Amino acid sequence: MLFPDQLEERVAGEPDKGLIELDTLRRHTPSAVDDQEEQVVAWQEKLFSQFEVDLFRTESTCQSPLDRQYHRDIVALERAGGRRNQRIFTYTDYDRCTSLEEHTQVLTTSNKSSPTFLAERMANVRQRRHERRHIEGHASKSRLVTWEPTEDFVKNSHVVNTPVQTMYIMADLGPHGKLGQKENEYVLCTVRADSNGVITIKPDFNYSKEPYRVLTNGEKREVWLLSLENASAAISQEEREREQRVYRDLYVRHRDYLSSLVGQDFEMPPPGILRLLVNGEVVSAKGYEYDDLYVHFFVELPDDWSASPPQSLSGVTQTCRTRTLGKDSVAFFCHPFSFEAFFRKEDETEESLPRWPVLYFEVLSLDLWQRYRTEGYGCLVIPASPGSHTLTCSTWRPLQGGTVAELRRFFIGGSPELEDMSYVRVPSTFKGDRLSRFGFRTVTTGSVTFTLHCMQHARAFVDAGVLNKRRQSVLDQLGGFSQQSSVHGVLEAFERARRRMREARESLPEELMDTSARLHTEPMV
């Protein structure tokens, strides 16, 4: 429904005083009844505008088969008594929806200029149906970039093909009696439907809400009020139930189709083996002294863990310049990596919890002369619980005292480095009781953000009988990741406290040990 809400203003001037005053605004009502219009429009229903009636009335102006069809429809409408619409009309998916003057408009000052192949194809893009050309949903994985494209490849790849059907509900908001001018056409509503059955309406139905306001251009600005309502007949309860049954059958067939693609022989790890898949990403690094950063990382597998030989457990990101965000300089790498590891507990009698793989990384900077500096070391333990994890790890670097070391770092590059990067944590090769870093000087640098998507695969997870039994093996313990992730730190603390108590007891003199033994063995009186 469309009706005007025009406001007129009268300007009164007084020649003597040179002053201008405005009369009270009054609502324009004499012809408001004639300008009100209400139309019920169906999907892809063609309602001709006054401009199209004047254009296609004569057969000599028709060039395409669609134009001649419109000519026959307009002649039939005039014989039947004329159009039922005045201002509201539609552009269907078969129409061009572009100004006809655009096809003859010269874009350059040269007299010999002619439309390019792309311009001609884009001018008729609205006339093509999306069913006529099948669009694949995937890109070629063999060659993503064509460095030497041929002329035919350029022509076929640079044409936009809209995979939806579109319909425009328009309005001719020109003055009464002067309809049919293209500059007075305004879009009231856009309706799109894709091949998946999704219908998009913009703007949305307003029902009993405030109507939309359409403001015209020109010297005499008018405000039109627009109301959009869904005039489709509501389906009955029987039809709704039949539609739900059809949807359920469709979902069942789609599920069966996906199951057929996966197959029944789903790959399962052997019994007693846990399969860990990690898809990670080096997201960013911030807070470092120099620019042009890159990250070198590798994954260390503890005892009882193994990996297939072809895959690599290390990697290096690209060199990235930093940008200022707030008070920090941030380098965004967005470098993906992935690895797959297998866990098998050799000694089932051991009660200790398994150790998880550790990711060690080193942040370096590169200068103009291809000289690198160490910016920081860090590490993180792969999370024991499956799912998505975002971890930010702080880093440090070795510090060499003195001004000469800092000058050497600034001018010629190079800095103290760790021979073994696992020294950031407790190295796996360390077999002693205590690891002392006393006297080793470091300085805090920045931090690196990682995103890890962890997946765990084991036969015990899907075997309901194993989960209901008493968990005796390590794999059964791994089934309760929610409990393990919460008590893992507590168990480690108890283990460290028990180790310290044993060491303290061993270091006591024999006299105290005997006294302690007597205190525990003699009965109380």
Side-chain angles (χ1 to χ4, degrees):
M1 181 182 296
L2 185 71
F3 56 91
D5 189 23
Q6 180 181 357
L7 299 179
E8 288 187 348
E9 59 184 19
R10 180 178 302 174
V11 180
E14 298 182 7
D16 298 337
K17 297 182 180 180
L19 300 177
I20 298 177
E21 62 180 3
L22 298 178
D23 285 353
T24 304
L25 298 178
R26 60 184 180 85
R27 191 174 301 273
H28 182 72
T29 56
S31 61
V33 178
D34 298 335
D35 290 336
Q36 292 185 8
E37 185 171 342
E38 181 177 355
Q39 296 291 339
V40 178
V41 182
W43 171 246
Q44 296 297 336
E45 179 183 1
K46 180 61 181 176
L47 298 180
F48 294 99
S49 64
Q50 186 63 40
F51 176 81
E52 292 175 324
V53 171
D54 298 338
L55 178 64
F56 299 120
R57 180 179 284 112
T58 57
E59 189 175 2
S60 59
T61 59
C62 301
Q63 300 178 358
S64 63
L66 182 63
D67 296 345
R68 288 188 284 271
Q69 178 63 36
Y70 284 169
H71 169 72
R72 292 190 292 268
D73 294 342
I74 290 174
V75 172
L77 284 175
E78 291 180 348
R79 291 177 181 176
R83 300 179 296 137
R84 62 182 175 88
N85 61 305
Q86 295 298 324
R87 294 184 179 273
I88 299 178
F89 61 97
T90 60
Y91 282 137
T92 63
D93 192 65
Y94 298 95
D95 296 328
R96 265 197 301 269
C97 298
T98 57
S99 177
L100 297 178
E101 289 79 3
E102 294 181 1
H103 303 287
T104 59
Q105 184 179 3
V106 180
L107 301 179
T108 62
T109 57
S110 176
N111 296 328
K112 299 181 181 180
S113 63
S114 59
T116 62
F117 177 83
L118 178 61
E120 293 177 354
R121 294 289 295 273
M122 290 299 296
N124 299 324
V125 68
R126 292 299 310 153
Q127 297 183 2
R128 296 199 310 275
R129 299 281 296 222
H130 67 277
E131 292 90 353
R132 298 180 183 177
R133 181 179 176 183
H134 180 68
I135 300 178
E136 296 293 339
H138 63 277
S140 176
K141 297 182 179 179
S142 60
R143 187 176 59 180
L144 298 179
V145 179
T146 304
W147 298 106
E148 296 179 359
T150 62
E151 185 177 356
D152 295 337
F153 178 81
V154 173
K155 290 182 178 181
N156 295 329
S157 301
H158 287 73
V159 177
V160 179
N161 191 5
T162 306
V164 296
Q165 288 184 289
T166 307
M167 177 181 179
Y168 295 95
I169 301 178
M170 310 287 294
D172 189 350
L173 303 183
H176 186 71
K178 296 182 180 180
L179 303 180
Q181 299 180 3
K182 296 290 291 184
E183 59 271 13
N184 294 328
E185 293 184 358
Y186 295 86
V187 179
L188 300 182
C189 181
T190 303
V191 185
R192 290 186 175 89
D194 58 14
S195 57
N196 297 325
V198 178
I199 300 177
T200 306
I201 300 177
K202 184 179 180 180
D204 196 4
F205 301 122
N206 50 4
Y207 295 105
S208 59
K209 300 179 182 178
E210 291 292 332
Y212 298 107
R213 299 170 65 89
V214 181
L215 181 63
T216 61
N217 300 322
E219 298 179 356
K220 192 175 182 180
R221 301 172 65 87
E222 296 179 338
V223 178
W224 293 76
L225 303 181
L226 172 65
S227 297
L228 296 174
E229 297 181 2
N230 185 10
S232 302
I235 61 176
S236 61
Q237 183 66 23
E238 181 181 357
E239 293 176 347
R240 184 178 291 105
E241 293 177 355
R242 184 168 61 251
E243 181 182 12
Q244 292 178 357
R245 288 196 298 270
V246 171
Y247 279 132
R248 284 195 296 267
D249 296 340
L250 178 62
Y251 295 151
V252 170
R253 289 197 298 269
H254 183 66
R255 184 188 59 188
D256 296 340
Y257 170 72
L258 295 179
S259 300
S260 64
L261 294 179
V262 175
Q264 300 296 330
D265 298 332
F266 190 74
E267 180 185 359
M268 291 291 295
I273 292 181
L274 172 68
R275 182 184 183 186
L276 174 65
L277 298 96
V278 178
N279 294 322
E281 178 185 0
V282 185
V283 180
S284 62
K286 69 175 181 178
Y288 291 97
E289 183 179 1
Y290 292 98
D291 204 347
D292 294 326
L293 302 176
Y294 66 96
V295 179
H296 171 228
F297 60 92
F298 72 92
V299 178
E300 182 187 52
L301 298 179
D303 296 336
D304 301 330
W305 287 86
S306 62
S308 55
Q311 67 175 339
S312 176
L313 297 178
S314 63
V316 181
T317 66
Q318 75 279 9
T319 304
C320 181
R321 295 188 62 87
T322 61
R323 58 177 298 184
T324 303
L325 291 180
K327 297 182 180 180
D328 298 324
S329 297
V330 185
F332 292 96
F333 299 103
C334 300
H335 179 81
F337 65 92
S338 62
F339 68 91
E340 180 182 4
F342 298 90
F343 173 80
R344 181 182 181 87
K345 190 65 175 178
E346 299 294 341
D347 187 7
E348 293 290 344
T349 60
E350 188 177 353
E351 298 180 357
S352 62
L353 292 174
R355 294 187 302 169
W356 288 87
V358 182
L359 176 65
Y360 294 95
F361 61 92
E362 177 185 11
V363 183
L364 303 101
S365 62
L366 196 67
D367 63 2
L368 182 62
W369 303 99
Q370 301 301 313
R371 297 172 303 195
Y372 68 91
R373 307 177 185 88
T374 300
E375 299 294 336
Y377 293 95
C379 69
L380 64 91
V381 181
I382 301 301
S385 58
S388 299
H389 308 273
T390 300
L391 305 174
T392 300
C393 303
S394 301
T395 59
W396 53 264
R397 64 176 177 87
L399 179 62
Q400 185 176 0
T403 308
V404 178
E406 293 299 326
L407 291 175
R408 184 183 297 111
R409 171 181 167 84
F410 179 80
F411 285 104
I412 64 176
S415 58
E417 302 178 9
L418 296 179
E419 293 183 0
D420 185 6
M421 199 183 300
S422 63
Y423 188 75
V424 177
R425 202 168 176 261
V426 179
S428 58
T429 57
F430 179 74
K431 301 301 181 182
D433 297 333
R434 298 182 182 86
L435 177 63
S436 176
R437 290 189 174 93
F438 181 76
F440 181 58
R441 301 183 60 189
T442 61
V443 58
T444 304
T445 54
S447 60
V448 181
T449 301
F450 293 87
T451 299
L452 301 178
H453 304 279
C454 304
M455 295 175 286
Q456 297 171 359
H457 189 196
R459 190 179 298 271
F461 295 161
V462 295
D463 191 355
V466 174
L467 295 180
N468 291 330
K469 295 179 182 179
R470 182 180 179 183
R471 296 174 177 176
Q472 297 177 353
S473 64
V474 176
L475 282 180
D476 293 332
Q477 295 177 9
L478 295 178
F481 286 105
S482 59
Q483 292 98 357
Q484 178 185 347
S485 59
S486 60
V487 304
H488 184 72
V490 179
L491 294 178
E492 285 189 348
F494 276 111
E495 184 67 24
R496 289 194 298 268
R498 187 177 64 177
R499 190 183 304 113
R500 284 195 296 266
M501 291 177 61
R502 184 173 62 251
E503 294 173 356
R505 187 180 299 110
E506 293 175 354
S507 61
L508 290 175
E510 295 182 358
E511 294 81 1
L512 296 179
M513 292 291 294
D514 295 339
T515 305
S516 177
R518 286 196 300 271
L519 289 177
H520 285 285
T521 56
E522 292 179 358
M524 295 181 62
V525 178

